[in-house]
């Protein structure tokens, strides 16, 4: 057997996850950066790199200057900034695609963890990736998505007897705790597997419990030690006016895929039953997914192996065992797909998509003075593109809760106290969407139009 | 099914009705339903709008005519107390049907059945309003009982189904959901019980015909369109939210069902009923009770199996009930007593403090008033000389009037153009609405005001 054939044969067992990863890379590298939070994460990361210290208080707003805020994403921000500094927007997109590909690789492995054949796993996992695509943003949150799947994969391996997989968990949780605030989900996964071990597979219980304790202890080794409380309260009382924090709408494309997973979980459980681990994983994560659409991915990831196994049992049980591809063919396919993925780097967008932002107002914003009241969704963009001006609010949500955000909403919606709010904050300019009631009222009151476009208007006090 | 199974469900139904009848009539939509019912009683069924000045002559849905007539008859017979009593009867039917579905599955364990039924009954309490919708939910609960019997191949239940659908289709538009479920369950039973195929085919055909036997005819099927494009800005059409109390109750029911299914299964027979209802419940908050209701008998039947598996020692008891007929009779009499106590102590006046009562004598007659959406029904009943701009009937306003309403009340960029085009001369809105704040800033004359409303003259 030639060396090439041996190499392809070695690749064959991983051909399915490699193929998924390659396809995901192509998919995730095809669209430009456009998330408003990306900008303030980059600005925060750059500040930390410049000053060689953690950014512990607000420096970007006019409303809460100096106010302390959570540090749970410091490492994620620095990582994104380093990537950006190395290769600009192109590198950021390629990095996002790489992370998404890693997630898909492990998702491919997870999808077969309950014994599903490749075809059944593929039927389910393509929809999982389609839904996950909505969460591939250029923020530290993407580290959470990747680590969730990696930890899940390790846990399935540990459940199958791998001790190395268990040892890898605590360092990963430590890393996760410093990359993004979603790390309690990782601990939750370990807890679910530990509970199953305690209740069903008692011989494994000590090892899983030890891993659980180690994960919990190490999760405290971050600058935001008690951040878990904040993250938990956030899940219980999500701010509904932010679209990604709203409950999922099953009549939207992403919501429909989510609903399909929910209904399939119910339907397959009724038809073929399940195991305790499925209940321990799927039910809490379903609650999380129903609580806010930004959390849909976690439920879908966790449900994937169980649904794939059920699909195999229902749809493919009458067929004979699938004949596996020849190892060389499977390995070759993985290689070809990987080459295509690498080649797709040349198509990565090199500039961000800023069509949703007030690009036409930037010059006027920079040259203006006084306190600016801005659209919530544009805060991050302004922090990065117009650092000369402090923002009123931005995507760092918790900084502004409850008072500033309530004042912002009351002013923008033209509630009875809007004049008092504008006076109290000494607002000199507003940069909002033209449809806002405040814009309509101020125009009629003679505020000066300094810049205007189809989706924005910059008004200055006369 | 035995007569002895009715005592506990009736008692639960009566207790629910007692709770339901503590609240006075106050639903905004009640008033326009009453007005429609009054018109039906007086002049027959109106097929075009004559309550608004924004869409006069627009075709209106007639899919709730019987429910509206029932509400008006209750009002005629007993005033506002009559409306509350009708609500109590509907809630009794609803809660008793939910409880009966559970008790029938485990007649030897009435306590377990009651506990399983409580989340569904509690969740249904968010629909205990004085609207035809409540009658629709009661019909849904009865349908669940019948469908579980149909899926066992029972011919009598198949015969009753079309009759239920005829009544339901004339009470409320939600009968379309009933029809869909009947067809799905008939198809699944058709596959499983070959001996009943002819009867099931006839049942399905009669069910389709039954939903057409309404004054709305084929139009009653089109009401389902709103289901796929719900107006999310109306609270009851918003997405289910598990951070709210009803959302949590729904979650308890849903997660409980998944958990039980993982252990006890249920086969395609249960999936055919529960999966479609689950999807409906995920669409909007107002539908969440439906899943809880549909899942109750499944949970009651299978919870003992799960408990047995978990404890590995218990087995679901198979002995029949040993309760005596005397006890059943006593429970039924107690239920009647509770029900009557609820009716006799129910509030006799509506609670209308949340509405702009003080503005009523000041409203100008004829067209020109822009009113809050929530107050439209109230004005239709209490100020018939002043036609409304919008009200809870929703569908007539979807062709543009609702957009214009939102443009004015939310002070959108085109609010002045809408005011001029529509000829709006007076505003009856909340003081916190953007248009009210701006009208005040512009110095428009305030005719009258109160903490929750303001009447403004447009110059």
């Amino acid at each position: 057997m030639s060396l090439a054939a041996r190499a392809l044969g070695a690749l064959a067992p991983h051909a399915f996850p490699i193929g998924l990863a390659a396809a995901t890379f192509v998919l995730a590298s095809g669209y430009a950066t456009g998330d408003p939070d990306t900008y303030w994460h980059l600005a925060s990361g750059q500040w930390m790199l410049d000053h060689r210290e953690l950014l512990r208080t607000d420096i970007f707003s006019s409303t809460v200057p100096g106010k302390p805020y959570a540090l749970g994403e410091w490492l994620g921000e620095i990582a994104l900034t380093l990537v950006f500094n190395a290769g600009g927007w192109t590198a950021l997109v390629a990095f996002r695609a790489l992370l998404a590909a890693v997630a898909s690789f492990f998702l491919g492995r997870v999808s077969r963890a309950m014994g599903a054949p490749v075809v059944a796993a593929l039927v389910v996992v393509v929809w999982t990736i389609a839904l996950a695509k909505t969460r591939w943003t250029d923020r530290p949150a993407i580290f959470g998505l990747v680590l969730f799947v990696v930890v899940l994969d390790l846990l399935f391996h540990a459940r199958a007897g791998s001790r190395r997989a268990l040892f890898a968990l605590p360092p990963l949780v430590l890393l996760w705790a410093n990359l993004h605030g979603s790390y309690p989900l990782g601990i939750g996964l370990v807890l679910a597997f530990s509970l199953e071990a305690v209740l069903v597979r008692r011989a494994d219980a000590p090892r899983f419990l030890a891993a659980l304790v180690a994960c919990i202890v190490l999760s405290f080794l971050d600058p935001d030690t008690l951040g878990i409380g904040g993250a938990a309260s956030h899940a219980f009382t999500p701010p509904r006016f932010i679209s990604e924090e709203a409950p999922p709408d099953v009549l939207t494309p992403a919501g429909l895929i989510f609903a399909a997973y929910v209904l399939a979980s119910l339907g397959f459980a009724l038809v073929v039953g399940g195991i305790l681990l499925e209940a321990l994983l799927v039910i809490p994560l379903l609650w999380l997914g129903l609580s806010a659409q930004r959390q849909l991915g976690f439920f879908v990831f966790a449900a994937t192996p169980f649904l794939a196994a059920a699909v195999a049992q229902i749809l493919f049980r009458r067929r004979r065992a699938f004949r596996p591809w020849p190892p060389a063919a499977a390995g070759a396919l993985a290689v070809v797909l990987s080459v295509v993925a690498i080649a797709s780097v040349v198509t990565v967008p090199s500039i961000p998509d800023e069509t949703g932002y007030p690009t036409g107002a930037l010059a006027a914003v920079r040259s203006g003075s006084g306190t600016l009241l801005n659209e919530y969704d544009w805060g991050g963009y302004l922090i990065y593109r117009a650092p000369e001006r402090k923002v009123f609010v931005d995507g760092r949500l918790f900084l502004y809760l409850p008072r500033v955000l309530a004042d912002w909403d009351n002013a923008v919606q033209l509630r009875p106290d809007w004049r008092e709010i504008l006076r109290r904050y000494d607002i000199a300019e507003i940069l909002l969407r033209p449809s806002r009631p405040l814009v309509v009222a101020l125009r009629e009151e003679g505020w000066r139009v300094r810049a205007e476009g189809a989706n924005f208007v910059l008004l200055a006090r006369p | 099914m035995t007569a002895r199974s009715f005592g506990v469900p009736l008692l639960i139904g009566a207790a629910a009705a007692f709770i339901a009848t503590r609240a006075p009539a106050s639903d905004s939509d009640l008033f326009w339903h009453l007005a429609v019912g009054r018109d039906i009683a007086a002049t027959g069924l109106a097929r075009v709008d004559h309550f608004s000045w924004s869409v006069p002559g627009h075709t209106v849905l007639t899919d709730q005519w019987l429910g509206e007539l029932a509400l008006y008859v209750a009002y005629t017979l007993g005033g506002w107390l009559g409306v509350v009593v009708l609500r109590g009867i509907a809630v009794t039917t609803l809660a008793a049907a939910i409880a009966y579905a559970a008790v029938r599955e485990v007649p030897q364990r009435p306590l377990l059945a009651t506990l399983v039924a409580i989340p569904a009954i509690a969740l249904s309490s968010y629909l205990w309003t004085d609207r035809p919708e409540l009658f629709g939910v009661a019909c849904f609960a009865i349908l669940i009982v019948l469908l579980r019997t149909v899926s066992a191949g029972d011919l009598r239940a198949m015969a009753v189904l079309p009759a239920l659908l005829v009544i339901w289709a004339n009470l409320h538009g939600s009968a379309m959901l009933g029809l869909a479920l009947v067809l799905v369950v008939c198809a699944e039973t058709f596959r499983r019980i070959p001996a009943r195929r002819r009867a099931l085919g006839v049942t399905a055909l009669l069910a389709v015909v039954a939903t057409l036997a309404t004054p709305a005819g084929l139009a009653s099927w089109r009401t389902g369109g709103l289901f796929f494009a719900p107006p999310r800005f109306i609270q009851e059409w918003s997405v289910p939210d598990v951070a709210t109390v009803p959302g949590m109750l729904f979650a308890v029911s849903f997660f409980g069902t998944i958990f039980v299914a993982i252990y006890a299964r249920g086969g395609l027979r249960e999936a055919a009923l529960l999966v479609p209802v689950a999807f409906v419940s995920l669409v909007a908050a107002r539908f969440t009770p439906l899943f809880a209701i549909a899942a109750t008998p499944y949970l009651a039947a299978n919870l003992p199996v799960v408990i047995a598996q978990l404890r590995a020692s218990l087995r679901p008891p198979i002995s029949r009930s040993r309760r005596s007929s005397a006890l059943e009779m006593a429970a039924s009499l107690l239920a009647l007593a509770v029900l009557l106590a609820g009716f006799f102590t129910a509030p006799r006046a509506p609670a209308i403090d949340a509405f702009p009562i003080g503005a009523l004598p000041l409203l100008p007659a004829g067209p020109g008033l822009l009113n809050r959406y929530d107050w439209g029904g109230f004005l239709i009943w209490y100020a018939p000389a002043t036609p409304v701009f919008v009200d809870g009937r929703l569908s007539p306003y979807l062709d543009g009037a609702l957009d214009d309403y939102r443009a004015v009340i939310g002070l959108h960029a085109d609010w002045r153009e809408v005011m001029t085009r529509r000829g709006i001369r007076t505003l009856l809105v909340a003081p916190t609405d953007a248009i009210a704040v701006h009208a005040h800033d512009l110095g428009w004359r305030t005719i009258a005001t109160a903490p929750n409303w303001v009447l403004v003259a447009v110059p």
Side-chain angles (χ1 to χ4, degrees):
Chain A
M1 185 182 287
S2 70
L3 183 64
R6 278 206 301 273
L8 290 176
L11 267 179
H14 308 291
F16 177 59
I18 289 175
L20 282 178
T24 300
F25 187 91
V26 175
L27 202 61
S29 62
Y31 60 96
T33 295
D35 192 295
D37 288 352
T38 302
Y39 296 98
W40 67 259
H41 282 303
L42 287 178
S44 300
Q46 193 59 56
W47 188 95
M48 288 188 275
L49 288 173
D50 291 345
H51 293 78
R52 296 189 180 279
E53 63 175 295
L54 296 177
L55 181 55
R56 294 174 181 275
T57 57
D58 170 56
I59 58 168
F60 300 126
S61 87
S62 63
T63 47
V64 289
K67 184 176 176 180
Y69 71 102
L71 303 164
E73 302 174 331
W74 72 275
L75 187 57
E77 289 171 339
I78 286 178
L80 289 177
T81 308
L82 287 172
V83 170
F84 180 76
N85 290 347
W89 297 108
T90 304
L92 207 57
V93 174
F95 186 58
R96 170 225 299 159
L98 183 65
L99 290 174
V102 171
S104 286
F105 176 85
F106 284 97
L107 192 62
R109 287 160 50 118
V110 164
S111 66
R112 303 187 63 197
M114 298 305 294
V118 169
V119 177
L122 188 63
V123 166
V124 177
V125 89
V126 289
W127 295 105
T128 309
I129 291 172
L131 184 71
K133 184 176 179 293
T134 63
R135 305 311 312 159
W136 294 339
T137 54
D138 303 303
R139 312 183 200 172
I142 195 171
F143 294 113
L145 279 180
V146 176
L147 286 168
F148 183 90
V149 192
V150 174
V151 167
L152 195 57
D153 181 59
L154 286 173
L155 283 165
F156 274 115
H157 275 82
R159 186 173 181 267
S162 168
R163 283 173 178 263
R164 282 191 303 175
L166 269 183
F167 281 121
L169 287 172
L172 271 180
V173 170
L174 171 64
L175 178 68
W176 192 346
N178 287 277
L179 282 168
H180 188 248
S182 55
Y183 67 92
L185 287 172
I187 297 174
L189 289 178
V190 183
L191 175 65
F193 278 78
S194 301
L195 273 176
E196 194 222 8
V198 168
L199 295 171
V200 180
R201 299 174 300 105
R202 296 187 179 163
D204 291 341
R207 281 182 293 155
F208 274 88
L209 288 174
L212 175 64
V213 171
C215 287
I216 292 172
V217 170
L218 287 181
S219 73
F220 283 94
L221 297 182
D222 75 298
D224 193 27
T225 304
L226 296 177
I228 189 169
S233 65
H234 177 219
F236 284 106
T237 56
R240 295 297 190 210
F241 65 93
I242 297 171
S243 59
E244 67 179 10
E245 298 283 2
D249 182 347
V250 298
L251 298 179
T252 62
L256 201 56
I257 297 175
F258 171 70
Y261 274 74
V262 174
L263 300 179
S265 296
L266 174 65
F268 288 150
L270 284 165
V271 175
V272 299
I275 58 173
L276 177 63
L277 180 63
E278 183 176 356
L280 292 171
L281 282 176
V282 165
I283 291 176
L285 290 167
L286 177 54
W287 172 81
L288 193 68
L290 287 169
S291 74
Q293 52 186 296
R294 66 179 296 179
Q295 319 283 17
L296 299 184
F298 300 115
F299 160 71
V300 171
F301 288 161
T304 294
F306 304 104
L307 294 186
V311 165
Q313 198 172 335
I314 291 175
L315 298 184
F316 302 111
R317 65 182 167 188
R318 288 180 187 165
R319 301 185 186 183
R320 294 186 180 281
F322 290 95
R323 186 181 300 167
W325 282 27
L333 183 63
V335 169
V336 169
L337 287 171
S338 301
V339 169
V340 171
I342 293 166
S344 73
V345 168
V346 296
T347 66
V348 170
S350 58
I351 54 170
D353 176 10
E354 297 183 344
T355 51
Y357 298 107
T359 48
L362 273 186
V365 168
R366 287 201 192 103
S367 64
S369 61
T371 306
L372 175 73
L373 186 145
N374 58 280
E375 197 71 54
Y376 177 89
D377 291 341
W378 299 341
Y381 173 80
L382 293 173
I383 285 173
Y384 192 81
R385 293 292 192 199
E388 301 87 347
R389 301 292 295 274
K390 303 291 186 190
V391 296
F392 193 95
V393 285
D394 65 85
R396 294 171 302 157
L397 183 64
F398 298 108
L399 262 180
Y400 303 107
L401 288 174
R403 180 72 187 272
V404 174
L405 215 55
D407 285 343
W408 177 83
D409 191 51
N410 285 344
V412 169
Q413 299 298 337
L414 209 73
R415 303 275 184 250
D417 56 347
W418 71 273
R419 283 185 191 280
E420 188 273 325
I421 292 168
L422 261 57
R423 191 164 40 244
R424 176 152 42 91
Y425 288 98
D426 193 21
I427 301 298
E429 294 183 336
I430 64 159
L431 178 63
L432 295 170
R433 294 193 173 91
S435 58
R436 294 290 193 183
L438 180 63
V439 171
V440 176
L442 292 182
R443 274 183 195 271
E444 295 191 3
E445 293 214 344
W447 280 46
R448 192 161 41 90
V449 178
R450 292 198 59 221
E452 190 169 13
N455 65 339
F456 72 89
V457 60
L458 177 65
L459 297 179
R461 192 182 282 278
Chain B
M1 190 188 302
T2 67
R4 288 186 298 173
S5 304
F6 285 107
V8 171
L10 279 178
L11 196 53
I12 292 171
F18 185 85
I19 295 167
T21 51
R22 300 307 86 206
S26 64
D27 191 290
S28 171
D29 286 354
L30 162 66
F31 302 107
W32 67 259
H33 283 304
L34 277 179
V36 172
R38 179 182 57 199
D39 289 358
I40 293 169
T43 58
L45 200 60
R47 295 180 182 272
V48 293
D49 169 60
H50 61 273
F51 294 133
S52 84
W53 64 277
S54 56
V55 290
H58 192 289
T59 306
V60 291
L61 292 171
T62 54
D63 57 342
Q64 310 182 61
W65 75 273
L66 188 56
E68 287 159 337
L69 188 61
L71 279 168
Y72 182 67
V73 169
Y75 176 77
T76 306
L77 292 176
W80 297 111
L81 178 63
V83 172
V84 176
V85 167
L86 182 60
R87 182 205 308 158
I89 293 169
V91 169
T92 304
T93 308
L94 167 62
I98 295 171
Y100 175 72
V103 168
R104 196 177 57 162
E105 298 291 340
V106 277
Q108 71 280 17
R109 290 187 166 186
L111 183 61
L112 174 78
T114 304
L115 289 174
V116 169
I118 281 176
I121 294 172
L123 191 51
S124 76
S125 69
Y126 291 91
L127 300 176
W128 294 353
T129 54
D130 302 312
R131 305 182 192 178
E133 182 182 14
L134 175 60
F135 308 141
V137 182
C139 288
F140 178 83
I142 297 169
L143 179 77
I144 293 300
V145 174
L146 287 173
L147 284 180
R148 294 184 71 81
T149 315
V150 165
S151 70
D154 188 292
L155 286 172
R156 284 179 305 174
M158 290 181 208
V160 175
L161 268 182
L164 175 70
L165 281 176
V166 166
I167 297 167
W168 187 355
N170 287 280
L171 282 170
H172 190 248
S174 54
M176 293 311 106
L177 169 64
L179 174 61
L181 286 179
V182 167
L183 295 180
V184 169
V185 169
C186 281
E188 192 281 326
T189 313
F190 188 91
R191 180 193 65 85
R192 193 165 32 83
I193 309 178
R196 288 284 184 261
R197 285 184 173 172
R198 182 173 296 174
L200 287 163
V202 172
T203 302
L205 187 65
L206 287 176
V208 172
V209 173
T211 56
L212 293 172
T214 76
L218 268 174
S220 61
W221 286 14
R222 288 202 295 270
T223 56
L226 205 57
F227 174 83
F228 294 103
R232 295 292 191 205
F233 61 91
I234 297 174
Q235 192 178 5
E236 65 189 10
W237 281 102
S238 63
V239 173
D241 184 350
V242 293
T244 63
V245 174
M248 283 179 200
L249 286 169
F250 168 66
V252 165
S253 172
F254 198 86
F255 299 162
T257 305
I258 290 183
F259 187 82
V260 169
I262 281 172
Y263 278 95
R265 304 190 189 183
L268 206 55
R269 181 184 167 193
E270 297 289 356
L273 185 60
L274 292 178
V275 172
V277 179
F279 177 72
V280 171
S281 291
L282 286 169
V283 166
R286 67 186 302 178
F287 298 130
T288 51
L290 302 183
F291 180 80
I293 293 169
T296 295
Y298 170 76
L299 289 173
N302 292 285
L303 208 52
V305 179
V306 175
I307 293 169
Q309 283 195 20
L310 289 177
R311 295 173 69 174
S313 57
L314 288 177
R315 288 287 178 274
I318 53 171
S319 62
R320 301 298 300 173
S321 170
R322 292 180 183 173
R323 283 173 290 137
S324 68
S325 298
L327 272 177
E328 288 292 334
M329 183 61 75
S332 301
L333 287 174
L334 183 59
L336 185 63
V338 170
L339 202 58
L340 290 175
F343 292 162
F344 279 115
T345 57
R348 289 161 191 272
I352 50 176
D353 292 346
F355 298 104
I357 309 163
L360 289 177
L362 305 170
L363 292 176
L369 176 79
L370 182 131
N371 59 283
R372 279 209 119 208
Y373 179 89
D374 295 342
W375 299 339
F378 170 82
L379 294 175
I380 286 173
W381 183 254
Y382 281 101
T386 305
V388 298
F389 192 89
V390 286
D391 67 85
R393 290 174 300 160
L394 186 62
S395 59
Y397 304 111
L398 292 174
D399 290 340
L402 204 62
D403 288 339
D404 285 348
Y405 162 78
R406 297 178 78 192
V408 173
I409 205 158
L411 207 72
H412 295 183
D414 58 344
W415 74 277
R416 282 189 185 275
E417 182 273 321
V418 173
M419 294 271 288
T420 306
R421 175 163 47 82
R422 287 285 185 178
I424 295 167
R425 294 184 283 115
T426 317
L427 305 171
L428 180 60
V429 292
T432 52
D433 288 331
I435 185 64
V437 175
H438 196 50
H440 178 264
D441 291 343
L442 291 172
W444 291 7
R445 184 170 65 89
T446 299
I447 301 169
T449 187
N452 64 336
W453 58 266
V454 59
L455 186 64
V456 179
V458 178

